[in-house]
Amino acid sequence: MSGASQGSDARDAAAAPVILTRALSKTYAAHTEAEVQALRGVDLRIDRGEFVAIMGPSGSGKSTLMNLIGCLDTPTSGVYECDGVDVSTLDPEDLAALRRDKIGFVFQGFNLLPRMSALDNVAMPLGYARVPPHERTERAREALVSVGLGERVGHRPSELSGGQQQRVAIARALINRPPILLADEPTGALDSKTGEEILALFKRLRDDDHTVVLITHDADVAAHADRVYVMRDGELHPEGAA
């Protein structure tokens, strides 16, 4: 392959979206004859290194969209490509591997194991990836340093503030070096000052070429993102669109 062709391939890979949906829909069958259309023909493109917020009230469809983007559920129709891979082509084992390698999850409730240190909580996903123990420890330590907790590696969750616990959760989400960080109401359990610190951390991660997708009901939180979408009745609209 010529040098020019290699350069073109590299540019094409860099320009490819990390998240791409086309006419993505999800319908839930109720116990009655009625069906619930939770998602209606969603088209979404998110490129590498973007910080995007998806905002909407309870019942708007944003949680359904998050579950589809996170490969936690499958669409009724439409296409979802995660980092260039059409997820509908994957069997359950490959789908689990894609979810492990491509997506880091951050939730409102932190979901840390109380009897484990911050270091062990962060290192835990590497065990599923069969990373050797010494490498797990080193990578977990590096991840905690990257979120400002290098001096708290031996502390258990009960010995950390809410903001510190969320930083541990973010470090854990980043430990497999996924291109996508999917954050569901990550500041919901935090006071406003601590929430601002977590949002500033997301911006630094974006600057480090991570793609951050923030799910929230709070317009003030969403305003920190580069782009904001609003869910209404299962449909996705750019902020400000009618």
Side-chain angles (χ1 to χ4, degrees):
M1 182 180 291
S2 70
S5 295
Q6 289 175 335
S8 177
D9 289 345
R11 286 192 296 272
D12 290 345
V18 177
I19 293 170
L20 181 67
T21 74
R22 295 190 294 271
L24 203 66
S25 298
K26 181 67 177 183
T27 301
Y28 293 101
H31 292 297
T32 64
E33 293 182 1
E35 292 183 334
V36 177
Q37 192 165 6
L39 217 60
R40 303 169 186 266
V42 169
D43 294 325
L44 175 64
R45 175 182 175 132
I46 301 176
D47 293 321
R48 189 176 303 276
E50 284 197 283
F51 182 7
V52 174
I54 298 173
M55 185 175 67
S58 177
S60 63
K62 70 180 188 300
S63 294
T64 299
L65 180 57
M66 181 201 73
N67 287 337
L68 296 180
I69 291 174
C71 298
L72 299 171
D73 198 359
T74 55
T76 304
S77 61
V79 175
Y80 171 36
E81 295 181 8
C82 179
D83 204 19
V85 178
D86 183 344
V87 300
S88 69
T89 66
L90 303 178
D91 61 27
E93 184 177 348
D94 288 337
L95 189 62
L98 179 138
R99 190 166 53 239
R100 179 195 68 209
D101 297 337
K102 300 292 187 182
I103 306 167
F105 294 91
V106 179
F107 299 103
Q108 177 176 332
F110 316 142
N111 295 342
L112 302 177
L113 296 178
R115 296 183 180 276
M116 296 174 65
S117 67
L119 187 72
D120 289 337
N121 266 286
V122 172
M124 185 173 56
L126 295 177
Y128 300 116
R130 299 180 180 178
V131 174
H134 68 279
E135 185 179 342
R136 290 181 217 167
T137 299
E138 185 60 30
R139 283 173 56 177
R141 193 179 301 276
E142 290 174 359
L144 284 166
V145 168
S146 75
V147 298
L149 288 180
E151 298 180 356
R152 295 288 188 271
V153 296
H155 288 62
R156 294 183 178 182
S158 62
E159 300 169 321
L160 301 171
S161 68
Q164 289 171 336
Q165 289 184 60
Q166 190 60 293
R167 286 174 183 268
V168 173
I170 292 170
R172 181 183 58 193
L174 295 172
I175 196 65
N176 279 321
R177 300 166 182 161
I180 300 167
L181 187 64
L182 187 57
D184 183 19
E185 301 284 6
T187 62
L190 305 175
D191 62 76
S192 57
K193 179 177 181 297
T194 305
E196 291 284 331
E197 293 172 355
I198 295 299
L199 291 165
L201 175 57
F202 286 148
K203 292 177 184 178
R204 291 199 297 275
L205 293 172
R206 170 206 60 197
D207 293 342
D208 288 337
D209 213 28
H210 288 281
T211 301
V212 181
V213 182
L214 173 67
I215 310 296
T216 184
H217 70 278
D218 189 329
D220 291 336
V221 171
H224 287 264
D226 303 321
R227 287 194 289 140
V228 179
Y229 288 92
V230 179
M231 292 293 305
R232 299 191 191 98
D233 299 322
E235 298 179 346
L236 188 70
H237 305 271
E239 187 180 43

